Amino acid sequence: DMKAVLSPTQLHRLKEHRYQVEGTPFLEFYIRFFWTWLVEYIPLWVAPNLLTLAGLTINFLMGLLVVIQDPNAAGKASGLSYVGFAVGLLLYQTLDGLDGKQARRTNTCSPLGEFFDHGCDAFSTLIVSMVTVSALGMQVHPYHALAFVVLVECANYAYHWQTYSCGVLHFHMVDVIEAQFGTIAALLASAVGGSAFWSLQLFGTGVSLRVVAIGITMLLTGWNLLLALQIVLTKGSGKNGSTIADTSVLSPAIPLLILVAMAFAYGCFSPSNFLQTHFFLYIFALVLPFAKITICMMIAGMTRTPVGLLDSVMLGPGLALLNLYLGTPLPELYLLTGIAVYNFFDAVNLFAVVSWQMQSFLDVSCFTIPPAPP
């Protein structure tokens, strides 16, 4: 049997949880008409979470293909791989937009569906940012690439921090959908022009298209992060402006800042310049933990319970830094590979166990539609 993660109190509060959203991204206002039309062609026996899982699986496999071909984010994956991921991302976006509509069609809306949807998004966000870095050939600017991936993870965490603060998930005019279409455009440009395309200078200014693209993306992501933090700090719906769990609105910053500090510290002090030589392995070892604390934040928001300030997923980065402090008695390559594997199973285990607990307690099915009563 799976070891329970949610307490009885958390499980009972799930029944009181109501999903609330404010704001509509610019492109979603138009694309949702396509989703409304398309969902009518999905059989009623297809479970909403099955759509979400199918999208994530496609995204993961296409992303894995890019990472295997281009482990150092040098833009060396084949053009066909970038096109494949672009198509996969479009499918993921579509299936992600359809799952909620399918849930309403089949009368299967539940907190499990919300958790499963956003949990898959937590993993997908990292995959998309990694492939974006590869498509732009960011190996020439490894610390900018790391900053980009970490910033995207912080912004994703902040979305759910908003919910934890005020009980409402806020979207902005330029948001996830716009970022996904921007990524698709970059992937297609890389497929056609290769990494050399991004080395072209902008109107002879000496500034490459690569720097312009990553700069604009980071500015927009940073702006959304600031908007989310403004909501966190000003709209706390608990006692005296606290969170919905009656805790300080600033407390979720602690695990986030710990991971940010460790992610950059290792790159700065690695004697082998590991970030430059094994970029994506570095991301799996030092940045994948952000996905897990985002899932923990989701759980805290849905169950109105305090978010944990420390987590088991911090053990890997902590061990890596300790190894540096001791003079790297363990080879960096082997250690970070082990940490990456641990991070993956630690995050996936949490996601799977919580989904299983929700399914059992709420008496709903994750991947099937229950038969209609006679």
Side-chain angles (χ1 to χ4, degrees):
D1 291 341
M2 294 183 177
K3 184 178 179 180
V5 173
L6 302 182
S7 68
T9 299
Q10 288 177 305
L11 288 170
H12 283 287
R13 286 181 176 175
L14 275 176
K15 289 190 173 182
E16 303 168 5
H17 174 70
R18 295 294 179 269
Y19 183 44
Q20 299 182 69
V21 179
E22 286 187 12
T24 303
F26 176 74
L27 290 179
E28 184 176 338
F29 181 81
Y30 299 98
I31 202 171
R32 64 185 179 186
F33 294 106
F34 168 66
W35 294 339
T36 301
W37 167 79
L38 186 60
V39 76
E40 296 297 328
Y41 292 91
I42 298 177
L44 291 173
W45 53 265
V46 176
N49 291 337
L50 204 56
L51 298 175
T52 313
L53 182 61
L56 178 64
T57 302
I58 294 170
N59 222 14
F60 176 78
L61 293 177
M62 292 296 99
L64 186 62
L65 183 61
V66 171
V67 169
I68 290 173
Q69 293 180 350
D70 186 32
N72 290 327
K76 293 184 178 179
S78 68
L80 191 59
S81 295
Y82 289 133
V83 171
F85 188 84
V87 173
L89 180 56
L90 186 60
L91 286 172
Y92 178 82
Q93 179 194 87
T94 302
L95 293 170
D96 194 38
L98 293 178
D99 55 9
K101 295 182 181 300
Q102 180 73 349
R104 288 184 283 276
R105 282 180 77 217
T106 55
N107 196 30
T108 53
C109 295
S110 71
L112 171 61
E114 176 190 342
F115 175 76
F116 196 85
D117 185 346
H118 292 161
C120 286
D121 288 343
F123 292 110
S124 176
T125 298
L126 181 60
I127 296 169
V128 172
S129 63
M130 290 170 64
V131 174
T132 300
V133 164
S134 170
L136 295 177
M138 288 295 294
Q139 184 190 37
V140 293
H141 303 293
Y143 287 97
H144 292 80
L146 176 61
F148 166 71
V149 176
V150 169
L151 181 62
V152 170
E153 289 300 302
C154 289
N156 192 40
Y157 180 85
Y159 275 108
H160 299 286
W161 190 354
Q162 294 174 110
T163 308
Y164 182 65
S165 178
C166 64
V168 180
L169 182 61
H170 292 260
F171 288 106
H172 310 294
M173 183 66 72
V174 179
D175 216 291
V176 176
I177 290 180
E178 289 74 16
Q180 289 171 338
F181 277 116
T183 298
I184 290 171
L187 288 165
L188 296 179
S190 295
V192 174
S195 61
F197 170 78
W198 299 105
S199 297
L200 296 174
Q201 294 183 3
L202 182 66
F203 305 122
T205 59
V207 179
S208 68
L209 293 179
R210 177 181 295 112
V211 172
V212 172
I214 205 73
I216 291 174
T217 305
M218 291 182 71
L219 282 173
L220 292 174
T221 305
W223 178 250
N224 278 357
L225 174 59
L226 291 176
L227 290 176
L229 292 178
Q230 180 186 35
I231 291 169
V232 165
L233 296 173
T234 61
K235 295 189 176 182
S237 60
K239 296 176 182 177
N240 300 317
S242 62
T243 69
I244 56 176
D246 290 329
T247 59
S248 168
V249 294
L250 296 177
S251 59
I254 296 175
L256 184 66
L257 292 177
I258 289 174
L259 287 184
V260 169
M262 290 196 290
F264 282 99
Y266 196 92
C268 292
F269 297 107
S270 168
S272 66
N273 296 317
F274 202 87
L275 178 65
Q276 290 93 322
T277 57
H278 301 82
F279 183 82
F280 285 132
L281 179 55
Y282 186 102
I283 296 299
F284 283 125
L286 278 300
V287 184
L288 179 55
F290 285 84
K292 188 188 177 190
I293 67 166
T294 298
I295 293 173
C296 292
M297 174 61 72
M298 290 161 43
I299 295 169
M302 294 179 70
T303 60
R304 293 182 288 113
T305 50
V307 66
L309 303 184
L310 298 174
D311 189 89
S312 59
V313 82
M314 296 176 184
L315 292 175
L319 180 60
L321 288 171
L322 178 62
N323 189 54
L324 289 186
Y325 178 76
L326 296 176
T328 60
L330 299 176
E332 287 184 272
L333 179 60
Y334 297 139
L335 178 60
L336 265 69
T337 299
I339 290 172
V341 172
Y342 169 77
N343 289 343
F344 177 78
F345 284 104
D346 191 33
V348 170
N349 178 68
L350 173 70
F351 184 52
V353 170
V354 173
S355 297
W356 165 75
Q357 277 194 272
M358 288 187 180
Q359 173 181 263
S360 302
F361 181 77
L362 298 172
D363 194 24
V364 295
S365 178
C366 195
F367 298 119
T368 59
I369 301 289

